[in-house]
Amino acid sequence: MLRRLENCDRHGLDPAYFAARELRDDWDHLCRMSLAEGEPINELLTRLEAGLTKALMVYATGMQFGFVDAHEVMNYLEEETDLQGRKIPLAEGKRKMLALHNIPLKRADASFATELLQRLTREGTDFWSALEPSSAYYRSLQQEWAGLNALGDASWEPIPLIGDTLIREGHSHWIVPRIAHRLQITGELDREADAASFVTLTPELLQAVNRFRVKNLLPEDNSVGTFTLRYLNRPLQYYKDRIRINLERARWQYAEEKGSKYVIANVAAFMLQAVNEETDSVLEMRICCGTRRNKTPLLSSRINYVELNPYWNVPQSIIRREMIPAYRQDSAYFRKNQLRIYDSSGTEVDPHQINWSDYRGGVPFTVKQDNREGNSLGRIIFRFPNNFAVYLHDTPSRWAFMNTNRAVSHGCVRLEKPLDFALFLLEEPDEVLEDRIRAAMDLPPVSEKGKELIAKEEYQELKQYNLKEHIPLFLDYHTVYFSAAGELAYADDPYVYDPPLLKALDELNPINTNEALYGPL
């Protein structure tokens, strides 16, 4: 156990948090029987036994459930505002805070502690391997952490930015040797090469730059400019902090069981993985998420039905904050965007007959966008119960998937491959149902049975499909992404969630062995 505590840095943790040195000293004193003058051996034995027990409990619960409380850190960062952007006051001068992390997580309880001690007496060395996280993602994070630590105190001089200049393959520039030197330090470029010899952007150096880009979720390119240089200038500590933070996130356990078929959307990386463990397959795609102002909530739920060619019922917040100002700029705004306005009785109203300035709070009208072409939800939407009115859906704005920063929505998640995702959700292959989905999306059927059915005059287009098996969905946030190919890549932190978590890790209070008998476990 002492060796585990002393080597907990491989988990991104500080041995001082577990009082590893104090426990080792007590153990050595016991082995040598070198007691302080007047110190009863029972005092040493008691302190060591209680200290080890407390350290074990803290270590075990942290490894199994995380050392930082996600909800405590994440749900007290931002204040909630009303439709006008004003902060919502509560009693006694307090403010209503946004719940940014809504994923229920498993927690330790008394039964966990009891079972832990029982396992320790019967499992021996297997106890430790079962205690620590063992997922492929966690192990990859540990390997990356070890590699970063192996660089020691490595640092690099910032490469001067070059404005709008682009260095293309075969072109020379005085900063090229600096780029080569930077990539040698972190291993994208062969360390045996002479960095000073790179006068031009050679194919070898460009490949190294593109390896770096892939590692940072950037698109590959045939040139180097200021955008890439800003990433190259990030210090080593930036990457070490990212790994520590995501090791902690990987220790959090979902309360909702994933089962063998589930979906995880990584909001930070703007990537989604639909996993089927029974077929050992992963459908991976880019996604677009909410802007920093309209964050995609972190939650867990179950996808229960698919809707084809949905109408968009516009939320009040979007009507107030965006549509009314846009209408004042362009009186044809509603018509151009196929938006219809209805009063409380369901009667359609002409937007020109409404004095929008009368409604500073809620608007007593509903706004609905026509379905099919041009609809903001695209041709298909995937519904799941949640308190935020967010969903996964198609989009007509395909250009957004080419961006590095895909924080562009009002909070919903837009899918790069909506048809593939729909087919993934089906309980089993069904060529006719698959073709009905294609037909509803104005795509040609591919099976003979599907073609025959859809060609019939009495055929009715599919509008909704209820899933017999509701698929677990997790909208989560990891700034180190683990791809379907098993490769780690660093994502940006679009919602700036990393700094408070890093601060919480740095401020963990070490256990006190002298108070182990009396302090809470």
Side-chain angles (χ1 to χ4, degrees), residues 70-86:
H71 299 145
E72 185 175 314
V73 173
M74 300 296 298
N75 293 344
Y76 294 91
L77 297 179
E78 296 184 19
E79 297 179 29
E80 191 169 339
T81 60
D82 59 19
L83 293 179
Q84 284 71 46
R86 297 173 301 198

Side-chain angles (χ1 to χ4, degrees), residues 137-295:
Y137 177 48
Y138 194 86
R139 291 197 303 269
S140 294
L141 288 171
Q142 286 187 292
Q143 292 171 5
E144 181 75 3
W145 176 247
L148 294 174
N149 284 331
L151 296 176
D153 297 327
S155 62
W156 41 83
E157 289 291 326
I159 304 169
L161 304 182
I162 54 177
D164 295 333
T165 300
L166 288 178
I167 307 172
R168 301 187 183 279
E169 184 177 350
H171 290 192
S172 61
H173 196 284
W174 65 273
I175 69 165
V176 169
R178 295 198 182 192
I179 296 173
H181 175 67
R182 161 64 184 85
L183 293 172
Q184 281 182 318
I185 295 174
T186 46
E188 288 86 8
L189 183 65
D190 183 6
R191 292 188 176 96
E192 300 300 320
D194 179 10
S197 68
F198 286 93
V199 180
T200 64
L201 185 61
T202 65
E204 178 188 5
L205 182 54
L206 181 59
Q207 286 179 1
V209 171
N210 280 328
R211 278 192 286 271
F212 171 84
R213 285 175 172 142
V214 170
K215 191 72 179 284
N216 287 270
L217 288 178
L218 302 176
E220 297 183 57
D221 201 352
N222 61 359
S223 64
V224 178
T226 292
F227 183 77
T228 299
L229 295 179
R230 292 187 191 277
Y231 281 80
L232 287 167
N233 284 340
R234 287 172 168 169
L236 178 62
Q237 192 61 45
Y238 169 89
Y239 296 99
K240 296 181 76 170
D241 289 345
R242 280 284 192 272
I243 296 297
R244 280 186 64 209
I245 292 164
N246 287 280
L247 279 166
E248 174 64 9
R249 287 189 176 116
R251 287 188 284 262
W252 298 340
Q253 290 193 56
Y254 298 143
E256 174 80 27
E257 294 297 331
K258 291 189 295 186
S260 61
K261 189 173 182 179
Y262 56 90
V263 178
I264 297 181
N266 186 336
V267 175
F270 305 114
M271 295 293 295
L272 178 143
Q273 292 181 350
V275 180
N276 189 336
E277 293 180 352
E278 291 184 358
T279 59
D280 194 24
S281 61
V282 180
L283 171 64
E284 188 173 49
M285 70 184 75
R286 298 176 183 181
I287 56 177
C288 296
C289 300
T291 63
R292 187 169 175 182
R293 181 184 180 185
N294 302 293
K295 297 178 178 67

